[in-house]
Amino acid sequence: MSTSNTGSTGSRGSRGSTGTGNGGNTGNGTGSTGSTDTGSTGSTGSTGNGSTDGTVDRAFEALYASDDGSLDTAASLLAADRAADPELGRRGEEFVRTLWGRGWQPADLVRIARRDLSDAHLRILTGLVLTETARYDRLPHRWRAQLDELDPSPGRPTDRFSYATTVLELYRLLVRLPRLDAVGPVPGEALPPAAAGEPRMLTRIRALLAKAEATGYPEEAEALTAKAQELMARHSLDEATLAAGAPSPETPGAVRIGVEPPYEQAKAILLDAVATANHCRAVWNEAYGFSTVVGFEADLDPVELLYTSLLVQGTAAMTRAEAEQRAGGRKRTKSFRQSFLLAYANRLGARLAATSRRVASEAPTLLPALASRDLAVTTRTDELFPETRATRVRAAWDEEGWTHGASAADRAGLGPDRRGVEDGRNRPGR
């Protein structure tokens, strides 16, 4: 494994261009990304003198202990004091509110709770998040969509001890989460004026990709996906035109996109390919299951849309390829799926980039403006992530999986210009 490290003040990631498949190195876009900030949020509850607050305070000492015995004792204390329930919930809302200030967003908390805890913990967390965010007249951009994804269905264990244990286990996770680099304003801060509806271009891209996912005809999916990428490339060109004509104080922003198991390394490479082809940069945080995409605001939502659609299309193609293999009497394995998705991501990276170059070549006078915006994105990425690490692909090799994945990427079709597309036989080292 090859790595390169630079200093970091926050969460760490790995970023870079998608590799070509030769020698198995994906560039520097797929490394592990722990965090250098290990501070906890701490207890933020009331310090009142009542017996209820005293019960909660004593119970919360277990949040910072490493043994389960302390947690059991704390759960017994809470189970025996019904009057502590309101204070217990209020403290949970404060923990969540503190995490907003530490860079976390609703989708981030749900992702980590789903991975490390159970559905019971997730239900309690959902209630806390919905209650806490209901306090604000307006929420930051993209938060409403994250909240709409939550399932507000109630549910709690039938006995008080089990409920208290579940709450404490959740809170113990929350207080130990590190600080993340902020990717937007925090609830309660001043927000920019709300946009009036979704931009027309984004609506068109969303509709094209939805049709591409739904069709059962590869040729139709090819045409629809190609049109979506071309729209994205032309939109970036339009933004560069505006910037060249009347420079604005706008600076690159960022958005977190979930990159979760299985085969998360291949997914991170695919997202990096989509981001890079559309004038953004992606940094993968393997530890917490997301990539941070840095770019100008007008490019961020289209990148997320295209990545999500290509992942859906790639997964469907992989399922069909596996079915064909089984029909031929050949058993497919995890290595087949890994190799399939890696080839799919690598091949699409080349084709996405080719489409963007083709569109940009139609307006050569704007190339300096595009280069200036790319430099601004790179500078902002370096500011957010001064320390990154690169690593080679960690995957078992399956030649048939690679071949099928490369073919599926070809069928995804991203424009008529196929120059720069790599030979599907190029593949990671064994």
Side-chain angles (χ1 to χ4, degrees), residues 293-311:
V293 177
V294 183
F296 283 93
E297 191 66 29
D299 294 323
L300 293 176
D301 284 336
V303 164
E304 183 171 10
L305 279 175
L306 181 57
Y307 163 71
T308 302
S309 178
L310 290 175
L311 190 58

Side-chain angles (χ1 to χ4, degrees), residues 128-146:
L128 293 174
V129 168
L130 292 175
T131 300
E132 208 292 313
T133 52
R135 301 171 57 247
Y136 307 100
D137 293 333
R138 284 186 57 207
L139 291 169
H141 178 49
R142 298 190 180 88
W143 280 53
R144 176 50 54 195
Q146 294 182 28

